[in-house]
Amino acid sequence: MGARDEKEGDGMHRYLRSIGFSTYEKKRDIERLLDELETAASRSRIQIDIDTNLCELRAELAPGMGVVMAGEMDENGRFRREYYYPYLTSQDVSSKADCSIQRHTEKETYAGLLDEYRVGISLIFYLENGFEYRERTLDKQSRRVESVRLCGLAEEGKILLPVYKTRKQREVAQVAAKNRCSLIEAAKNGDEEAIETLTIEDIDLYSQVSRRAVKEDIYSIVDSCFMPSGIECDQYSIVGEIIGIEEKQNRVTGELVYDLTLDCNDMVFHVGIGARDLLGEPRTGRRFKGQIWMQGRADFQSDNIK
């Protein structure tokens, strides 16, 4: 079974436990759960051609959290489920960087790619509102992305203590981060001086970290991080400061889920994790460390394509 088939196929979705389904591990139990969720789910449907339609069912389990089921409506009006995935949504804009969207190979699902200089990589995420994107394509509406609201789901995670910083140190770090973003943008545009400056800064940073790592714990040196993890392109290992905490209860299982608002590399996004899978007590100012599956909801321009 392929990596993405495992995540969105007929079996157990790896991140289903992140929204409060930690006890659902067998295929038959999950199928029964999905059948129950279908009865009360909201439905959206678009007709692709005479013989083909796309139907999306959205079962909300707590405000801004739930399960999406997608498939096709047959000629008898019966929903034929093809795949499903858990979701978490946010009202906080994470990025306004240039964003392109591409369809996955085997399913009517999409990936978004952000040229986000703050994390230093091209950030790839699973498009949570892919149905809206497909609908806009059919209706010939604008698919230009104005902003993206990112959310991650974590199977497990840890709470780390914060790195102490004075107000002045925080201000200096913010200025340095902005300057680095400007340099990366200039370097991508072919500015040789910017490339040289970044190279020198990286060499100096490596030297400083190497000296400090001899006597200090790595997480007292690394304040936050955002880096790809594993073979799937939308999974990342992160360390970010907790700036908000919301508790959500799965209405089916009663399990508690933490919706953590994180500031990671000066970028704000949310992470959902089951309370039983989080080691430590989350508090504002502390840090979250874990591996996440990154989702994103794209906000499209409202004007039509001319």
Side-chain angles (χ1 to χ4, degrees):
M1 180 179 288
R4 190 167 295 280
D5 286 333
E6 177 187 353
K7 191 162 66 176
E8 296 167 358
D10 296 328
M12 169 66 179
H13 192 295
R14 282 182 55 192
Y15 293 93
L16 202 57
R17 67 181 299 118
S18 306
I19 61 169
F21 289 115
S22 63
T23 59
Y24 286 79
E25 297 180 350
K26 295 181 179 179
K27 180 178 176 180
R28 63 175 179 270
D29 294 333
I30 296 170
E31 290 295 320
R32 195 178 301 119
L33 168 67
L34 295 175
D35 289 340
E36 291 175 1
L37 293 177
E38 278 185 22
T39 58
S42 61
R43 301 193 175 202
S44 302
R45 176 182 170 181
I46 53 176
Q47 197 70 32
I48 297 175
D49 56 42
I50 297 175
D51 301 317
T52 312
N53 64 75
L54 180 64
C55 189
E56 181 187 84
L57 275 61
R58 194 168 283 259
E60 192 171 74
L61 301 163
M65 182 183 83
V67 175
V68 169
M69 294 161 280
E72 191 172 7
M73 199 73 73
D74 65 18
E75 56 187 12
N76 298 317
R78 184 179 301 172
F79 176 66
R80 302 291 184 183
R81 185 172 61 244
E82 296 179 9
Y83 62 91
Y84 73 95
Y85 60 90
Y87 73 87
L88 182 70
T89 60
S90 160
Q91 297 301 316
D92 297 321
V93 172
S94 302
S95 176
K96 291 186 177 181
D98 290 339
C99 178
S100 58
I101 296 172
Q102 293 187 0
R103 185 187 187 275
H104 290 136
T105 304
E106 75 280 17
K107 291 188 181 73
E108 192 75 35
T109 57
Y110 299 87
L113 187 147
L114 281 167
D115 289 327
E116 183 52 74
Y117 299 127
R118 288 176 293 180
V119 295
I121 58 173
S122 294
L123 194 159
I124 299 173
F125 61 92
Y126 185 96
L127 186 64
E128 193 271 323
N129 58 330
F131 184 89
E132 180 187 354
Y133 179 80
R134 188 71 173 93
E135 190 173 32
R136 282 178 166 270
T137 303
L138 288 172
D139 293 341
K140 298 189 182 332
Q141 291 182 306
S142 173
R143 288 167 290 163
R144 182 179 176 84
V145 179
E146 290 188 328
S147 60
V148 174
R149 291 172 279 161
L150 296 172
C151 289
L153 294 178
E155 288 184 278
E156 59 182 9
K158 297 178 181 178
I159 299 298
L160 305 178
L161 292 174
V163 174
Y164 175 76
K165 291 182 180 179
T166 63
R167 184 174 179 180
K168 185 176 181 180
Q169 286 175 321
R170 287 181 178 274
E171 290 174 353
V172 169
Q174 288 177 353
V175 171
K178 289 180 180 179
N179 290 339
R180 184 172 177 80
C181 286
S182 299
L183 284 171
I184 292 174
E185 185 174 4
K188 285 193 173 184
N189 292 327
D191 189 326
E192 293 185 5
E193 187 176 342
I195 296 172
E196 185 177 347
T197 302
L198 284 170
T199 303
I200 294 171
E201 285 184 357
D202 287 344
I203 293 172
D204 290 343
L205 183 62
Y206 178 80
S207 177
Q208 291 175 27
V209 170
S210 298
R211 290 197 303 270
R212 291 181 60 183
V214 176
K215 297 182 180 180
E216 297 180 52
D217 180 85
I218 189 66
Y219 292 113
S220 66
I221 303 170
V222 179
D223 187 16
S224 68
C225 77
F226 191 101
M227 57 187 292
S229 176
I231 61 173
E232 293 189 76
C233 54
D234 50 12
Q235 293 192 12
Y236 302 92
S237 289
I238 64 166
V239 176
E241 182 183 351
I242 301 172
I243 58 175
I245 304 169
E246 183 179 354
E247 295 181 356
K248 297 183 176 182
Q249 188 174 40
N250 184 310
R251 64 173 175 81
V252 175
T253 63
E255 290 186 28
L256 180 66
V257 174
Y258 287 119
D259 180 354
L260 305 176
T261 307
L262 302 184
D263 184 343
C264 182
N265 287 31
D266 202 32
M267 186 172 68
V268 174
F269 57 91
H270 287 236
V271 168
I273 183 172
R276 63 179 63 188
D277 296 323
L278 183 61
L279 180 62
E281 183 181 354
R283 286 188 181 178
T284 303
R286 293 181 179 179
R287 292 178 294 167
F288 170 85
K289 174 184 177 291
Q291 180 176 320
I292 63 169
W293 172 43
M294 186 64 86
Q295 303 177 341
R297 190 170 186 85
D299 298 318
F300 300 102
Q301 277 188 346
S302 58
D303 57 308
N304 294 332
I305 298 175
K306 300 297 184 182

